[in-house]
Amino acid sequence: MSSLTGRSFLTLLDFTPEEIRFLLSESARFKELKRHCVKHRWLEGKNVALIFEKTSTRTRSSFEVAASDLGMGSTTLDSGNSQMGAKESVEDTARVLGRIFDGICYRGYAQATVEKMAEVAGVPVWNALTDDFHPTQMIADFLTIQEEFGDLEGRKLVFFGDARNNVANSLMVASAKLGVHFVACGPEALAPAADLVERCRAIAEETGGSVTLTEDPKAAATGADALYTDIWLSMGEPKELWKERIHLLEPYRVTPKLMAKAKGNAIFLHCLPSFHDRETTVGEEIYQRFGLKEMEVADKVFRGPRSRVFDEAENRMHSIKAVMYSTLC
Ligand code: CP
Ligand code: NVA
């Protein structure tokens, strides 16, 4: 039993640096077990509900496989195959699922929704992405950085793009907690909320990390250990915003030139999915409308030798397993 037992996982703001480091080491342990084909069906008899109000490939697959590896049953629900939303409130749904399942994963819109679920469910609730935060992604991301460099403290992580989206917010919080120097690089119009920046700066003062906001991509990339970006328009945002977003964010694309400003052994990270070529319907549509062959990251960087995006994606599964196990057991 750890200090995490019975707790919900809604934002890393709720966890101490030690608790986050514990989750990182548990993720590494589960990765080793899986690699050596050692069975770990330690939660046999338990069941989890996985609610996805937004689409998902990595997070949903990770929760399902992690639950199965731990010996648990899982039921995936969305607004199309359940009563939630149209005929039953979030609160009633959470109360019902809390009587049937041992834990609930929720991906949706408002952070307030996942917080409400956690308040009434009576079982741990895991935030699988909201408009504000994506905390399970962070355990995978920082595990990937740790695997590369062997440590985290004092490293420089730069996020380029929409620096007030869920992933950027969570990177800022996680960096502050783990003593990492975080730089949010993007236009002022897409800067993170001032109150969250202030809160993260206060945390970073305790851990030796820092939080910097800048509009200058070259200065931001200089000396960085990891360059990170995300799509320019997040799930739930209207398509009409593409034109404005492209105009605002094109200067922040992660290119080979930008990578060259970073340390020689710097890595490239991306939560995925990514628009790095024209091999998606959205990517092709953007090419037809605006002439862009790649968006937030150059294809050369995405596929290049410093890219760790697929290690990062694999780590989603190990880290989600660690989150479920540590909070359920
Ligand atoms: N990174 C991530 O959350 O991916 P999915 O949207 O595919 O789950
Ligand atoms: N910011 C992105 C992250 C996807 C994993 C979104 O919310 O769509």
Side-chain angles (χ1 to χ4, degrees):
M1 186 159 156
S2 72
S3 66
L4 303 179
T5 310
R7 285 172 62 188
S8 287
F9 190 76
L10 307 178
T11 157
L12 289 184
L13 286 166
D14 301 336
F15 294 84
T16 65
E18 293 69 35
E19 287 167 342
I20 298 170
R21 280 195 283 270
F22 174 74
L23 286 172
L24 288 169
S25 77
E26 285 293 88
S27 307
R29 176 164 79 113
F30 279 120
K31 190 167 181 173
E32 276 305 294
L33 291 174
K34 184 87 174 174
R35 178 168 294 162
H36 294 106
C37 299
V38 179
K39 274 194 186 167
H40 42 279
R41 298 175 62 82
W42 302 332
L43 296 183
E44 229 158 21
K46 291 193 187 287
N47 291 283
V48 291
L50 314 176
I51 306 172
F52 282 86
E53 294 201 301
K54 285 176 176 168
T55 53
S56 169
T57 296
R58 278 145 291 274
T59 313
R60 176 178 165 168
S61 309
S62 295
F63 268 100
E64 288 185 357
V65 171
S68 164
D69 283 356
L70 287 167
M72 296 194 287
S74 65
T75 301
T76 302
L77 305 163
D78 60 38
S79 26
N81 72 4
S82 75
Q83 313 287 19
M84 191 165 128
K87 283 167 68 184
E88 196 157 32
S89 68
V90 165
E91 181 174 344
D92 291 356
T93 305
R95 284 185 194 279
V96 170
L97 296 180
R99 297 293 185 100
I100 299 172
F101 293 93
D102 299 283
I104 302 168
C105 142
Y106 175 79
R107 168 171 286 198
Y109 296 84
Q111 179 72 12
T113 304
V114 76
E115 281 169 7
K116 182 77 202 169
M117 294 193 99
E119 196 187 307
V120 300
V123 296
V125 173
W126 308 295
N127 178 358
L129 180 147
T130 61
D131 293 341
D132 291 345
F133 294 112
H134 196 5
T136 62
Q137 178 76 49
M138 294 305 113
I139 307 300
D141 293 349
F142 284 83
L143 177 65
T144 311
I145 300 172
Q146 195 170 277
E147 285 173 341
E148 186 71 28
F149 300 116
D151 55 32
L152 292 172
E153 268 179 23
R155 296 279 163 196
K156 179 178 176 183
L157 166 65
V158 188
F159 179 88
F160 295 91
D162 179 6
R164 27 114 269 181
N165 80 10
N166 40 21
V167 170
N169 282 345
S170 293
L171 286 169
M172 181 164 66
V173 174
S175 296
K177 293 269 180 181
L178 294 168
V180 168
H181 299 296
F182 178 72
V183 180
C185 182
E188 206 185 336
L190 299 174
D195 56 342
L196 186 62
V197 172
E198 208 177 296
R199 225 173 139 183
C200 290
R201 282 191 172 140
I203 297 166
E205 242 174 62
E206 301 287 314
T207 64
S210 62
V211 173
T212 308
L213 311 188
T214 178
E215 292 189 277
D216 180 348
K218 283 186 197 147
T222 302
D225 295 288
L227 279 70
Y228 197 122
T229 190
D230 185 9
I231 50 171
W232 290 343
L233 201 66
S234 287
M235 289 182 276
E237 293 192 301
K239 270 174 83 173
E240 292 68 41
L241 282 179
W242 268 122
K243 192 175 174 198
E244 180 194 302
R245 231 18 103 70
I246 288 169
H247 173 72
L248 283 170
L249 292 176
E250 243 202 298
Y252 298 95
R253 173 179 302 126
V254 180
T255 59
K257 237 176 156 178
L258 204 58
M259 283 298 288
K261 293 267 167 214
K263 284 186 184 160
N265 62 347
I267 56 172
F268 172 70
L269 297 171
H270 192 310
C271 55
L272 308 182
S274 166
F275 296 124
H276 58 94
D277 57 21
R278 289 167 55 198
E279 301 299 317
T280 60
T281 48
V282 175
E284 182 58 21
E285 193 189 324
I286 295 294
Y287 173 72
Q288 296 301 335
R289 283 178 64 197
F290 305 103
L292 263 63
K293 289 188 182 149
E294 48 201 16
M295 283 197 263
E296 72 277 2
V297 57
D299 197 45
K300 268 197 168 148
V301 171
F302 187 90
R303 297 179 194 273
R306 303 311 300 163
S307 177
R308 295 291 177 270
V309 297
F310 297 112
D311 298 305
E312 194 183 355
E314 177 195 329
N315 285 341
R316 297 298 311 287
M317 200 280 286
H318 307 300
S319 51
I320 280 171
K321 194 181 285 177
V323 169
M324 285 200 289
Y325 180 71
S326 307
T327 52
L328 286 178
C329 197

